Structures are given as C-alpha cells and as structure tokens.
Amino acid sequence: MLSHAFEGYNVCIFAYGQTGAGKSYTMMGRQEPGEEGIIPQLCHDMFRRINDTDASDTVYTVEVSYMEIYCERVRDLLNPQNEKSLRVREHPILGPYVEDLSKLVVTSYRDILQLMEEGNKARTVAATNMNETSSRSHAVFTIVLTQRKHDEHTDLKGEKVSKISLVDLAGSERAESTGAQGQRLKEGANINKSLTTLGKVISALAEVTKENAKDVRRPTRP
Ligand SMILES: Nc1ncnc2c1ncn2[C@@H]1O[C@H](COP(=O)(O)OP(=O)(O)O)[C@@H](O)[C@H]1O
Ligand SMILES: [Mg+2]
C-alpha cells in the first residue's frame, strides 16, 4: 500500500465488521510496543522511507486529518472545539471533500502519534448491549503525501500527491440484535444506511473495473 502511495496512487483501507470484531484494534491498536495497529505502523514506515531516501531532489510534505461521522454528522477530531457539523462538498476536479476540516502538517512519526492520540480521545463512544465501549461512528484518518521533485538538469518541477484513507467503520450488526431503542436505534439506522451505500459504491466500482468501458452509475451519498 505504501509503495503505491509513493508511486502517486490514492489508497484506502476499510475495517468492516461487527462490534467487537477487532476493527479499532486492527486500525489503531494499543499504545504499547508491539500492539500498534495498521495506522501507526503505516505512519512509522512512511517516515522511515522518507528519512531513508537519498533522493535529495525530492521534498516530501505530509498532512494529516482525522474526522468522525456520527449519525450523518461530520466532526473534526483534530479540532474538537469546532462543534458544528462539517459539510461534505464536491470539487469539480478533486472530487468530494470536507469543508473546513483541519489538515495539519506533520514532520515526524512522533507528531502523527500525538495527533492520533488527541483525535482518539475526541471520538464519540456510546455503549450498546454488545460492547461497552463500542463505537457507533465511522472514523476516517487521512494522510496526504506530497512529493515535489526538481530536476536539476532540465529545471522541471513535478508534483505527486497521494491520499491514504484509513477507515474504521461503525459496527455492522443489525439494530434488532442489539436490542437498541431510541437514540441507539437511530444510530443503527444511520450506520446501516451508510454501510449499505458503501457496499453499493464498492460493487459499482468493481462493476466498472469488470466491464471497463460500459457506463455504470455509481451511487454516492444517500
Ligand atoms: N487480535 C487481537 N489481539 C488481542 N486483542 C484483540 C484483538 N482484536 C481485538 N482485540 C480486543 O478485542 C476487543 C474488541 O476489539 P475492537 O477493536 O474494539 O472491536 P471493534 O472496533 O470491531 O468493535 C478490544 O478489547 C480489543 O483490544
Ligand atoms: Mg471500534
């Protein structure tokens, strides 16, 4: 994945499954040696690659954002003071983006760890019958890696931007099986809706790859 990102591709990982399946553990892990999840491991490897590279003509910039989607509301985990729900908008060239989401520049693995910790503290967690600390929200950790190259001989400048999206989805269990009512039931309905839509988007993308040239409509937000 990291190799693809360094080549300039956008990459994404979703953790999907029932509450208690180990999604958050897989993505974030614990703050102990040997217990780190995919996100800290990937960040660690990314900075190791950046620092190890001997290409002095390349300048790397790493920016991080971390948001949470709870009941269709988007919250900035790196700026929890911003209480209002952020708007998802569509850029004609760059595609969908979240307006006003903070994007912080980081220069080391230590920087990222600190932001991750802050963001994790800000996450909404609510108990269901299935798991005390079960998370009823989706969390999206995004890393934007920019590589600027300056060719001495030709004096040409090039830029490669890749986005790494690491998503810890909310539990996929059915609302009835958790015995949820009221707010919990509403959460469940929103989660089911967004997971169903995500499923449709992925099937449509797979369909596009399969049929390639044929026009397949891609569903976006419900
Ligand atoms: N591979 C694993 N090794 C050790 N503990 C794990 C593992 N996977 C999950 N756990 C533990 O199981 C519990 C539930 O995992 P969690 O990641 O919170 O589930 P989810 O996010 O899917 O609801 C947590 O206490 C977590 O630490
Ligand atoms: Mg979780």
Side-chain angles (χ1 to χ4, degrees):
M1 246 189 82
L2 212 45
S3 305
H4 281 302
F6 275 91
E7 282 167 23
Y9 292 104
N10 292 340
V11 291
C12 180
I13 295 182
F14 289 110
Y16 171 91
Q18 277 205 355
T19 296
K23 297 182 296 297
S24 305
Y25 181 82
T26 306
M27 297 307 279
M28 276 297 171
R30 299 199 190 103
Q31 298 280 3
E32 289 161 37
E35 296 271 315
E36 299 92 349
I38 290 177
I39 298 177
Q41 285 187 41
L42 188 131
C43 294
H44 188 250
D45 288 354
M46 182 175 63
F47 276 108
R48 208 182 47 209
R49 276 194 194 213
I50 290 174
N51 295 330
D52 281 357
T53 181
D54 44 34
S56 55
D57 58 345
T58 309
V59 179
Y60 296 92
T61 315
V62 181
E63 290 161 304
V64 168
S65 60
Y66 195 13
M67 65 174 163
E68 174 182 69
I69 307 169
Y70 173 74
C71 280
E72 304 288 293
R73 289 169 65 87
V74 182
R75 216 160 62 99
D76 190 343
L77 290 175
L78 299 183
N79 183 15
Q81 283 82 8
N82 189 355
E83 289 281 337
K84 72 177 180 25
S85 170
L86 304 179
R87 289 175 57 190
V88 179
R89 308 194 60 173
E90 183 100 15
H91 186 277
I93 296 160
L94 303 174
Y97 70 99
V98 179
E99 193 176 47
D100 295 334
L101 179 67
S102 44
K103 228 195 226 175
L104 306 178
V105 175
V106 285
T107 52
S108 68
Y109 174 57
R110 198 166 282 272
D111 280 359
I112 286 205
L113 269 193
Q114 206 183 338
L115 290 183
M116 221 157 56
E117 230 168 284
E118 258 171 59
N120 287 341
K121 265 190 230 148
R123 272 200 82 178
T124 302
V125 281
T128 66
N129 292 348
M130 290 188 79
N131 185 337
E132 275 295 296
T133 56
S134 141
S135 183
R136 311 299 292 151
S137 60
H138 311 296
V140 185
F141 192 87
T142 311
I143 305 165
V144 177
L145 171 70
T146 308
Q147 306 174 72
R148 286 189 189 86
K149 236 185 181 118
H150 181 216
D151 194 318
E152 296 274 321
H153 306 293
T154 57
D155 201 30
L156 286 175
K157 288 189 180 122
E159 192 179 271
K160 255 194 292 205
V161 182
S162 21
K163 198 164 158 183
I164 305 171
S165 311
L166 303 153
V167 189
D168 181 6
L169 293 170
S172 63
E173 59 274 0
R174 295 187 181 281
E176 14 346 332
S177 67
T178 61
Q181 285 178 321
Q183 178 65 9
R184 291 291 95 81
L185 187 66
K186 209 173 101 200
E187 286 173 0
N190 276 308
I191 293 167
N192 286 347
K193 187 164 87 178
S194 53
L195 290 179
T196 307
T197 309
L198 174 66
K200 283 190 197 160
V201 171
I202 292 175
S203 326
L205 287 172
E207 207 51 33
V208 168
T209 318
K210 222 163 52 187
E211 306 204 0
N212 225 341
K214 281 194 189 158
D215 180 26
V216 178
R217 285 196 58 197
R218 254 162 290 177
T220 50
R221 289 176 60 76

